[in-house]
Amino acid sequence: TRGRFLSTSSAAPTRSTSSEFVLGSTAACLACVLSNPFEVVKTRTQVQGELAQAGSRRVYGNAFSALIVLAKAEGLHGVQKGLVPGLGYQIGLNGVRFGCFPIVRHKYVEAGVPGGTWLAGATVGMLGGALGMPFYLVKCRMQTRTSNAATAVGYQHTKYEGVAGAFRAIVHSNGIGGLYRGVDAMVMRV
């Protein structure tokens, strides 16, 4: 017997697309709230040294010491930077993946497309990645930005007036395409 994931059954999805979308989005958003502090640490440590002079001190050591430094210097707001666009990213990415997968899989398998289940996963993953990309870009920029000189690393983007302000500023300076910087790598990743 084959597992459900590898099943070639063309049975129609049992839950509505909207319920799959809401369930996938909700689960991903909860995980985002819990993991966002580590996302901030990851983003900061990735850009650390980007603009540093040779021999300058490192602000962040390992992940746990970086979290402590960040929490002491910037508080709860600092460790949850980029949370709102992070939630938007999760809704775009995982809402679409979970919401559309049963339908796309059903259509591919029903049409007899070889590897229909795998292809459906790739299709909805790339679509979700593309839809979530603008939020991911804003999230990363917000996570690297700080007004605290002791914890500033990497290029310090303009301080945005909220998520909508970030979208406006990026579109104003780079056009709509600026929101999709890195989308080619994103769709391959997800």
Side-chain angles (χ1 to χ4, degrees), residues 41-94:
V41 166
K42 177 194 73 135
T43 302
R44 295 270 181 103
T45 55
Q46 284 176 328
V47 300
Q48 180 171 251
E50 183 177 74
L51 302 174
Q53 300 293 327
S56 63
R57 74 175 183 87
R58 290 175 49 108
V59 176
Y60 304 110
N62 64 45
F64 293 106
S65 69
L67 190 58
I68 291 167
V69 166
L70 190 59
K72 283 181 179 177
E74 299 181 43
L76 181 61
H77 182 261
V79 297
Q80 285 293 7
K81 278 195 180 239
L83 180 62
V84 173
L87 296 172
Y89 168 69
Q90 293 301 331
I91 291 168
L93 175 68
N94 289 304

Short mmCIF file of all heavy atoms in Angstrom, two decimals, residues 41-94:
data_model
loop_
_atom_site.label_atom_id
_atom_site.label_comp_id
_atom_site.label_asym_id
_atom_site.label_seq_id
_atom_site.Cartn_x
_atom_site.Cartn_y
_atom_site.Cartn_z
N VAL A 41 17.90 36.95 15.09
CA VAL A 41 19.29 36.59 15.38
C VAL A 41 19.97 36.07 14.11
O VAL A 41 21.09 36.47 13.79
CB VAL A 41 19.36 35.55 16.52
CG1 VAL A 41 20.73 34.91 16.61
CG2 VAL A 41 18.98 36.21 17.84
N LYS A 42 19.30 35.19 13.38
CA LYS A 42 19.87 34.64 12.15
C LYS A 42 20.17 35.74 11.15
O LYS A 42 21.27 35.82 10.58
CB LYS A 42 18.92 33.63 11.51
CG LYS A 42 19.43 33.07 10.18
CD LYS A 42 18.36 32.35 9.42
CE LYS A 42 17.41 33.37 8.87
NZ LYS A 42 16.97 33.25 7.52
N THR A 43 19.22 36.64 10.95
CA THR A 43 19.39 37.73 9.99
C THR A 43 20.54 38.65 10.41
O THR A 43 21.38 39.02 9.59
CB THR A 43 18.08 38.53 9.85
OG1 THR A 43 17.05 37.63 9.44
CG2 THR A 43 18.21 39.64 8.84
N ARG A 44 20.59 38.99 11.69
CA ARG A 44 21.65 39.88 12.17
C ARG A 44 23.03 39.22 12.04
O ARG A 44 24.00 39.86 11.66
CB ARG A 44 21.42 40.27 13.63
CG ARG A 44 20.18 41.10 13.87
CD ARG A 44 20.47 42.60 13.77
NE ARG A 44 19.27 43.37 14.03
CZ ARG A 44 19.02 44.01 15.15
NH1 ARG A 44 19.88 43.96 16.15
NH2 ARG A 44 17.91 44.70 15.29
N THR A 45 23.12 37.94 12.38
CA THR A 45 24.43 37.29 12.30
C THR A 45 24.85 37.08 10.84
O THR A 45 26.04 37.06 10.55
CB THR A 45 24.47 35.95 13.07
OG1 THR A 45 23.43 35.10 12.61
CG2 THR A 45 24.33 36.17 14.55
N GLN A 46 23.88 36.94 9.94
CA GLN A 46 24.23 36.79 8.53
C GLN A 46 24.84 38.07 7.97
O GLN A 46 25.74 38.01 7.13
CB GLN A 46 23.00 36.41 7.69
CG GLN A 46 22.62 34.96 7.86
CD GLN A 46 21.34 34.61 7.11
OE1 GLN A 46 20.44 35.43 6.95
NE2 GLN A 46 21.25 33.38 6.67
N VAL A 47 24.35 39.22 8.40
CA VAL A 47 24.86 40.48 7.86
C VAL A 47 25.99 41.07 8.70
O VAL A 47 26.61 42.05 8.32
CB VAL A 47 23.75 41.54 7.66
CG1 VAL A 47 22.71 41.03 6.69
CG2 VAL A 47 23.13 41.97 8.96
N GLN A 48 26.27 40.44 9.85
CA GLN A 48 27.36 40.92 10.70
C GLN A 48 28.68 40.87 9.93
O GLN A 48 28.98 39.88 9.29
CB GLN A 48 27.47 40.05 11.95
CG GLN A 48 28.56 40.45 12.89
CD GLN A 48 28.47 39.69 14.20
OE1 GLN A 48 28.13 40.26 15.18
NE2 GLN A 48 28.77 38.41 14.19
N GLY A 49 29.40 41.93 9.97
CA GLY A 49 30.67 41.97 9.26
C GLY A 49 30.54 42.47 7.84
O GLY A 49 31.53 42.70 7.17
N GLU A 50 29.30 42.65 7.36
CA GLU A 50 29.06 43.09 6.00
C GLU A 50 29.77 44.41 5.70
O GLU A 50 30.35 44.59 4.64
CB GLU A 50 27.54 43.24 5.81
CG GLU A 50 27.08 43.62 4.46
CD GLU A 50 25.56 43.66 4.40
OE1 GLU A 50 24.97 44.60 4.93
OE2 GLU A 50 24.97 42.73 3.83
N LEU A 51 29.73 45.33 6.64
CA LEU A 51 30.36 46.64 6.44
C LEU A 51 31.48 46.91 7.45
O LEU A 51 31.97 48.02 7.55
CB LEU A 51 29.30 47.75 6.57
CG LEU A 51 28.12 47.65 5.61
CD1 LEU A 51 27.09 48.71 5.93
CD2 LEU A 51 28.58 47.76 4.18
N ALA A 52 31.84 45.87 8.21
CA ALA A 52 32.83 46.05 9.27
C ALA A 52 34.24 46.26 8.73
O ALA A 52 34.59 45.73 7.68
CB ALA A 52 32.81 44.84 10.20
N GLN A 53 35.00 47.01 9.47
CA GLN A 53 36.41 47.20 9.14
C GLN A 53 37.17 45.94 9.58
O GLN A 53 36.76 45.26 10.51
CB GLN A 53 36.96 48.41 9.91
CG GLN A 53 36.26 49.71 9.60
CD GLN A 53 36.49 50.15 8.17
OE1 GLN A 53 37.56 49.91 7.61
NE2 GLN A 53 35.50 50.77 7.56
N ALA A 54 38.23 45.65 8.92
CA ALA A 54 39.05 44.50 9.28
C ALA A 54 39.48 44.62 10.75
O ALA A 54 39.92 45.69 11.18
CB ALA A 54 40.27 44.40 8.38
N GLY A 55 39.33 43.56 11.51
CA GLY A 55 39.73 43.54 12.90
C GLY A 55 38.72 44.13 13.87
O GLY A 55 38.99 44.20 15.07
N SER A 56 37.56 44.57 13.40
CA SER A 56 36.57 45.13 14.32
C SER A 56 35.91 44.02 15.12
O SER A 56 35.89 42.86 14.72
CB SER A 56 35.52 45.94 13.56
OG SER A 56 34.80 45.11 12.69
N ARG A 57 35.36 44.38 16.28
CA ARG A 57 34.77 43.37 17.16
C ARG A 57 33.45 42.86 16.60
O ARG A 57 32.73 43.57 15.90
CB ARG A 57 34.56 43.93 18.56
CG ARG A 57 33.41 44.89 18.69
CD ARG A 57 33.19 45.30 20.15
NE ARG A 57 32.04 46.16 20.24
CZ ARG A 57 30.79 45.75 20.37
NH1 ARG A 57 30.53 44.47 20.47
NH2 ARG A 57 29.79 46.61 20.42
N ARG A 58 33.14 41.62 16.95
CA ARG A 58 31.87 41.02 16.56
C ARG A 58 30.84 41.38 17.62
O ARG A 58 31.09 41.25 18.81
CB ARG A 58 32.01 39.51 16.46
CG ARG A 58 32.86 39.06 15.30
CD ARG A 58 33.08 37.55 15.31
NE ARG A 58 31.86 36.78 15.48
CZ ARG A 58 31.28 36.07 14.52
NH1 ARG A 58 31.81 36.04 13.33
NH2 ARG A 58 30.19 35.39 14.77
N VAL A 59 29.65 41.79 17.18
CA VAL A 59 28.58 42.14 18.10
C VAL A 59 27.91 40.88 18.63
O VAL A 59 27.60 40.77 19.81
CB VAL A 59 27.54 43.05 17.41
CG1 VAL A 59 26.36 43.34 18.32
CG2 VAL A 59 28.20 44.33 16.94
N TYR A 60 27.71 39.92 17.73
CA TYR A 60 26.98 38.70 18.09
C TYR A 60 27.89 37.49 18.00
O TYR A 60 28.59 37.30 17.03
CB TYR A 60 25.79 38.51 17.14
CG TYR A 60 24.85 39.70 17.11
CD1 TYR A 60 24.77 40.51 15.98
CD2 TYR A 60 24.06 40.01 18.20
CE1 TYR A 60 23.92 41.59 15.95
CE2 TYR A 60 23.21 41.10 18.17
CZ TYR A 60 23.14 41.89 17.04
OH TYR A 60 22.30 42.97 17.02
N GLY A 61 27.83 36.65 19.04
CA GLY A 61 28.58 35.40 19.04
C GLY A 61 27.70 34.29 18.51
O GLY A 61 27.22 34.35 17.40
N ASN A 62 27.41 33.31 19.37
CA ASN A 62 26.52 32.24 18.95
C ASN A 62 25.06 32.69 19.07
O ASN A 62 24.77 33.80 19.54
CB ASN A 62 26.77 30.97 19.77
CG ASN A 62 26.47 31.14 21.24
OD1 ASN A 62 25.44 31.70 21.63
ND2 ASN A 62 27.36 30.67 22.09
N ALA A 63 24.14 31.86 18.65
CA ALA A 63 22.72 32.24 18.59
C ALA A 63 22.17 32.64 19.96
O ALA A 63 21.42 33.62 20.06
CB ALA A 63 21.89 31.09 18.01
N PHE A 64 22.52 31.91 20.99
CA PHE A 64 21.96 32.21 22.31
C PHE A 64 22.55 33.48 22.91
O PHE A 64 21.83 34.29 23.50
CB PHE A 64 22.12 31.01 23.25
CG PHE A 64 21.29 29.85 22.81
CD1 PHE A 64 21.87 28.74 22.23
CD2 PHE A 64 19.90 29.87 22.94
CE1 PHE A 64 21.10 27.68 21.79
CE2 PHE A 64 19.12 28.82 22.51
CZ PHE A 64 19.72 27.72 21.93
N SER A 65 23.85 33.69 22.74
CA SER A 65 24.43 34.93 23.24
C SER A 65 23.89 36.12 22.44
O SER A 65 23.67 37.20 22.99
CB SER A 65 25.96 34.89 23.20
OG SER A 65 26.44 34.92 21.88
N ALA A 66 23.67 35.93 21.15
CA ALA A 66 23.10 37.00 20.32
C ALA A 66 21.69 37.36 20.78
O ALA A 66 21.33 38.54 20.84
CB ALA A 66 23.08 36.57 18.86
N LEU A 67 20.92 36.36 21.15
CA LEU A 67 19.56 36.60 21.64
C LEU A 67 19.59 37.39 22.95
O LEU A 67 18.81 38.33 23.14
CB LEU A 67 18.83 35.27 21.83
CG LEU A 67 17.34 35.34 22.11
CD1 LEU A 67 16.59 36.07 21.00
CD2 LEU A 67 16.77 33.94 22.28
N ILE A 68 20.52 37.07 23.81
CA ILE A 68 20.66 37.79 25.09
C ILE A 68 21.10 39.24 24.84
O ILE A 68 20.52 40.17 25.40
CB ILE A 68 21.64 37.05 26.02
CG1 ILE A 68 21.00 35.73 26.48
CG2 ILE A 68 22.02 37.91 27.22
CD1 ILE A 68 21.96 34.77 27.14
N VAL A 69 22.09 39.44 23.98
CA VAL A 69 22.56 40.79 23.65
C VAL A 69 21.42 41.61 23.07
O VAL A 69 21.18 42.75 23.46
CB VAL A 69 23.75 40.73 22.66
CG1 VAL A 69 24.04 42.10 22.06
CG2 VAL A 69 24.99 40.17 23.34
N LEU A 70 20.70 41.02 22.15
CA LEU A 70 19.59 41.69 21.49
C LEU A 70 18.48 42.04 22.48
O LEU A 70 17.97 43.16 22.49
CB LEU A 70 19.05 40.79 20.38
CG LEU A 70 18.06 41.35 19.40
CD1 LEU A 70 18.64 42.54 18.66
CD2 LEU A 70 17.67 40.27 18.39
N ALA A 71 18.11 41.11 23.33
CA ALA A 71 17.05 41.34 24.31
C ALA A 71 17.45 42.43 25.31
O ALA A 71 16.62 43.30 25.65
CB ALA A 71 16.72 40.05 25.05
N LYS A 72 18.69 42.42 25.77
CA LYS A 72 19.15 43.45 26.72
C LYS A 72 19.17 44.83 26.07
O LYS A 72 18.79 45.82 26.69
CB LYS A 72 20.54 43.10 27.25
CG LYS A 72 20.54 42.02 28.30
CD LYS A 72 21.95 41.77 28.79
CE LYS A 72 21.98 40.70 29.86
NZ LYS A 72 23.36 40.40 30.30
N ALA A 73 19.65 44.90 24.85
CA ALA A 73 19.82 46.20 24.19
C ALA A 73 18.53 46.75 23.59
O ALA A 73 18.31 47.96 23.61
CB ALA A 73 20.88 46.08 23.10
N GLU A 74 17.67 45.87 23.07
CA GLU A 74 16.51 46.35 22.33
C GLU A 74 15.17 45.90 22.91
O GLU A 74 14.12 46.33 22.43
CB GLU A 74 16.62 45.94 20.86
CG GLU A 74 17.84 46.53 20.18
CD GLU A 74 17.94 46.14 18.72
OE1 GLU A 74 16.91 46.15 18.02
OE2 GLU A 74 19.06 45.82 18.28
N GLY A 75 15.21 45.00 23.88
CA GLY A 75 13.98 44.56 24.52
C GLY A 75 13.11 43.66 23.63
O GLY A 75 13.56 43.17 22.60
N LEU A 76 11.86 43.49 24.06
CA LEU A 76 10.93 42.62 23.33
C LEU A 76 10.72 43.10 21.90
O LEU A 76 10.64 42.30 20.97
CB LEU A 76 9.58 42.55 24.07
CG LEU A 76 8.52 41.65 23.45
CD1 LEU A 76 9.00 40.20 23.38
CD2 LEU A 76 7.22 41.75 24.23
N HIS A 77 10.65 44.40 21.72
CA HIS A 77 10.48 44.95 20.37
C HIS A 77 11.64 44.52 19.46
O HIS A 77 11.43 44.20 18.29
CB HIS A 77 10.39 46.48 20.42
CG HIS A 77 10.16 47.09 19.08
ND1 HIS A 77 11.20 47.63 18.35
CD2 HIS A 77 9.04 47.24 18.34
CE1 HIS A 77 10.72 48.08 17.21
NE2 HIS A 77 9.42 47.87 17.18
N GLY A 78 12.83 44.49 20.01
CA GLY A 78 14.00 44.10 19.22
C GLY A 78 13.99 42.65 18.82
O GLY A 78 14.33 42.31 17.69
N VAL A 79 13.60 41.77 19.75
CA VAL A 79 13.62 40.34 19.42
C VAL A 79 12.42 39.93 18.55
O VAL A 79 12.43 38.85 17.98
CB VAL A 79 13.71 39.43 20.67
CG1 VAL A 79 15.00 39.66 21.41
CG2 VAL A 79 12.51 39.56 21.57
N GLN A 80 11.42 40.80 18.46
CA GLN A 80 10.27 40.49 17.59
C GLN A 80 10.22 41.40 16.37
O GLN A 80 9.19 41.52 15.73
CB GLN A 80 8.96 40.58 18.39
CG GLN A 80 8.73 39.42 19.32
CD GLN A 80 8.51 38.09 18.60
OE1 GLN A 80 8.64 37.95 17.40
NE2 GLN A 80 8.16 37.07 19.38
N LYS A 81 11.35 42.02 16.02
CA LYS A 81 11.39 42.87 14.82
C LYS A 81 10.97 42.07 13.60
O LYS A 81 11.34 40.92 13.45
CB LYS A 81 12.78 43.43 14.59
CG LYS A 81 13.06 44.62 15.43
CD LYS A 81 14.28 45.35 14.91
CE LYS A 81 14.49 46.53 15.80
NZ LYS A 81 14.46 47.77 15.13
N GLY A 82 10.21 42.73 12.75
CA GLY A 82 9.79 42.08 11.51
C GLY A 82 8.68 41.07 11.67
O GLY A 82 8.38 40.33 10.74
N LEU A 83 8.05 41.02 12.84
CA LEU A 83 7.02 40.01 13.07
C LEU A 83 5.82 40.19 12.13
O LEU A 83 5.34 39.21 11.55
CB LEU A 83 6.55 40.03 14.53
CG LEU A 83 5.45 39.01 14.87
CD1 LEU A 83 5.95 37.59 14.65
CD2 LEU A 83 4.99 39.19 16.31
N VAL A 84 5.34 41.41 11.96
CA VAL A 84 4.14 41.61 11.13
C VAL A 84 4.39 41.21 9.68
O VAL A 84 3.59 40.43 9.13
CB VAL A 84 3.63 43.06 11.25
CG1 VAL A 84 2.51 43.34 10.26
CG2 VAL A 84 3.15 43.33 12.68
N PRO A 85 5.47 41.66 9.03
CA PRO A 85 5.69 41.15 7.67
C PRO A 85 6.02 39.65 7.66
O PRO A 85 5.72 38.96 6.69
CB PRO A 85 6.85 41.98 7.13
CG PRO A 85 7.50 42.57 8.32
CD PRO A 85 6.44 42.70 9.37
N GLY A 86 6.59 39.15 8.75
CA GLY A 86 6.84 37.71 8.85
C GLY A 86 5.54 36.93 8.84
O GLY A 86 5.44 35.87 8.20
N LEU A 87 4.52 37.46 9.51
CA LEU A 87 3.21 36.81 9.50
C LEU A 87 2.59 36.89 8.10
O LEU A 87 2.00 35.92 7.62
CB LEU A 87 2.28 37.45 10.53
CG LEU A 87 2.72 37.30 11.99
CD1 LEU A 87 1.83 38.13 12.90
CD2 LEU A 87 2.73 35.84 12.41
N GLY A 88 2.76 38.04 7.43
CA GLY A 88 2.28 38.17 6.05
C GLY A 88 2.95 37.18 5.13
O GLY A 88 2.31 36.57 4.26
N TYR A 89 4.24 36.97 5.32
CA TYR A 89 4.99 35.99 4.53
C TYR A 89 4.43 34.59 4.76
O TYR A 89 4.21 33.83 3.81
CB TYR A 89 6.47 36.06 4.89
CG TYR A 89 7.29 34.91 4.38
CD1 TYR A 89 7.52 34.77 3.01
CD2 TYR A 89 7.83 33.96 5.24
CE1 TYR A 89 8.27 33.72 2.52
CE2 TYR A 89 8.59 32.91 4.76
CZ TYR A 89 8.80 32.79 3.39
OH TYR A 89 9.54 31.74 2.92
N GLN A 90 4.19 34.23 6.02
CA GLN A 90 3.67 32.90 6.33
C GLN A 90 2.29 32.67 5.73
O GLN A 90 1.98 31.58 5.24
CB GLN A 90 3.64 32.67 7.84
CG GLN A 90 5.00 32.60 8.49
CD GLN A 90 5.88 31.50 7.94
OE1 GLN A 90 5.41 30.47 7.48
NE2 GLN A 90 7.18 31.73 7.96
N ILE A 91 1.45 33.70 5.77
CA ILE A 91 0.11 33.58 5.18
C ILE A 91 0.23 33.39 3.67
O ILE A 91 -0.41 32.51 3.09
CB ILE A 91 -0.75 34.80 5.54
CG1 ILE A 91 -1.09 34.78 7.03
CG2 ILE A 91 -2.03 34.83 4.69
CD1 ILE A 91 -1.69 36.07 7.56
N GLY A 92 1.09 34.21 3.03
CA GLY A 92 1.27 34.08 1.58
C GLY A 92 1.87 32.74 1.20
O GLY A 92 1.40 32.08 0.27
N LEU A 93 2.89 32.33 1.91
CA LEU A 93 3.59 31.08 1.57
C LEU A 93 2.78 29.85 1.95
O LEU A 93 2.41 29.05 1.11
CB LEU A 93 4.96 31.04 2.26
CG LEU A 93 5.74 29.73 2.10
CD1 LEU A 93 6.19 29.55 0.66
CD2 LEU A 93 6.94 29.72 3.02
N ASN A 94 2.52 29.70 3.24
CA ASN A 94 1.90 28.46 3.71
C ASN A 94 0.39 28.42 3.52
O ASN A 94 -0.16 27.34 3.32
CB ASN A 94 2.27 28.21 5.17
CG ASN A 94 3.73 27.84 5.27
OD1 ASN A 94 4.18 26.89 4.65
ND2 ASN A 94 4.50 28.60 6.01
#
